[in-house]
């Protein structure tokens, strides 16, 4: 089966740093994605890791350890607009010549307070 | 347009009614996915198209759900004889070959 775990909710203060963890157990692995989703809106792409290590993109960084089935999303210099749900997703292989389908966790609702 | 477009944005159906949800993917995107997202949950996979071919429909919850993409562009998700448990947001996503998914804003379906 496929299992992706992440905390349900987190709260942090404006200007601070927050780390959202994700652990996964999947039948196959073709990369790990993080998406941001504001209430009532489409998920938007944040980051992609396929090799172990840290990927940095502005205020957002994402880390992957394939041997541990573990990833985290790090958000720095938090802003009020960062209040949203953060979705961890693993791409698992499919047939038909595609690299795969995304299996999502339930999402972590982040609240940024002044 | 530049993004994935879904219509209608909101749909209210009476139990037993048939509904059709439309997705216009980004032009040229080969892959198209449908997901179902219940309130407070992550998106759950329904079905996948590569051009006009439906390569995976393992996530469709029952035979009341049917999806098509006849010309390899626009896709329609049809739900027959809707039930209350079908109430959810239905997300469509497209990608160029094996790249990141771009999502539409979804259709929020409420079955009364």
């Amino acid at each position: 089966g496929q299992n992706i775990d992440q905390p349900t909710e987190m709260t942090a203060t404006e200007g601070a740093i927050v780390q959202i963890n994700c652990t996964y157990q999947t039948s196959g692995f073709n990369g790990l994605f993080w998406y941001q989703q504001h209430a009532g809106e489409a998920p938007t792409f944040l980051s992609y890791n396929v090799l172990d290590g840290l990927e940095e993109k502005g205020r957002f960084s994402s880390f992957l350890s394939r041997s541990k089935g573990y990833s985290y999303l790090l958000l720095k210099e938090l802003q009020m607009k960062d209040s949203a749900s953060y979705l961890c997703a693993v791409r698992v292989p499919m047939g038909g010549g595609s690299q795969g389908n995304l299996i999502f966790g339930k999402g972590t609702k982040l609240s940024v307070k002044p | 347009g530049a993004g994935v477009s879904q219509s209608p944005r909101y749909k209210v159906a009476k139990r037993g009614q048939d509904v059709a949800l439309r997705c216009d993917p980004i032009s040229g995107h080969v892959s198209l996915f449908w997901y179902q997202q219940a309130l407070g949950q992550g998106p759950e996979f329904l079905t996948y198209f590569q051009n006009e071919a439906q390569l995976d429909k393992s996530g469709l919850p029952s035979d009341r759900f049917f999806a098509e993409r006849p010309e390899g562009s626009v896709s329609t998700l049809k739900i027959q004889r809707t039930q209350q448990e079908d109430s959810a947001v239905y997300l469509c996503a497209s990608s160029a070959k094996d790249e990141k998914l771009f999502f539409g804003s979804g259709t929020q379906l409420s079955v009364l």
Side-chain angles (χ1 to χ4, degrees), chain B residues 13-28:
Chain B
K14 292 183 179 178
R15 190 160 56 94
Q17 188 178 353
D18 297 349
V19 298
L21 313 180
R22 177 188 169 103
C23 172
D24 281 89
I26 294 173
S27 178

Side-chain angles (χ1 to χ4, degrees), chain A residues 9 17 27 46 57 62 68 70 74 76-77 92 97 107:
Chain A
E9 293 185 41
I17 299 172
S27 54
L46 288 178
K57 190 186 296 184
S62 58
K68 296 182 179 178
Y70 168 69
L74 193 70
K76 304 176 187 175
E77 300 167 16
V92 297

Side-chain angles (χ1 to χ4, degrees), chain A residues 35 37 40 42 94 99 101, chain B residues 9 35 37 41 48 98 101 104:
Chain A
Y35 279 80
Q37 187 176 29
M94 295 167 60
Q99 281 198 29
N101 167 40
Chain B
R9 185 75 177 87
Y35 288 85
Q37 187 173 26
Q41 304 292 312
Y48 163 67
D98 296 332
L101 299 191

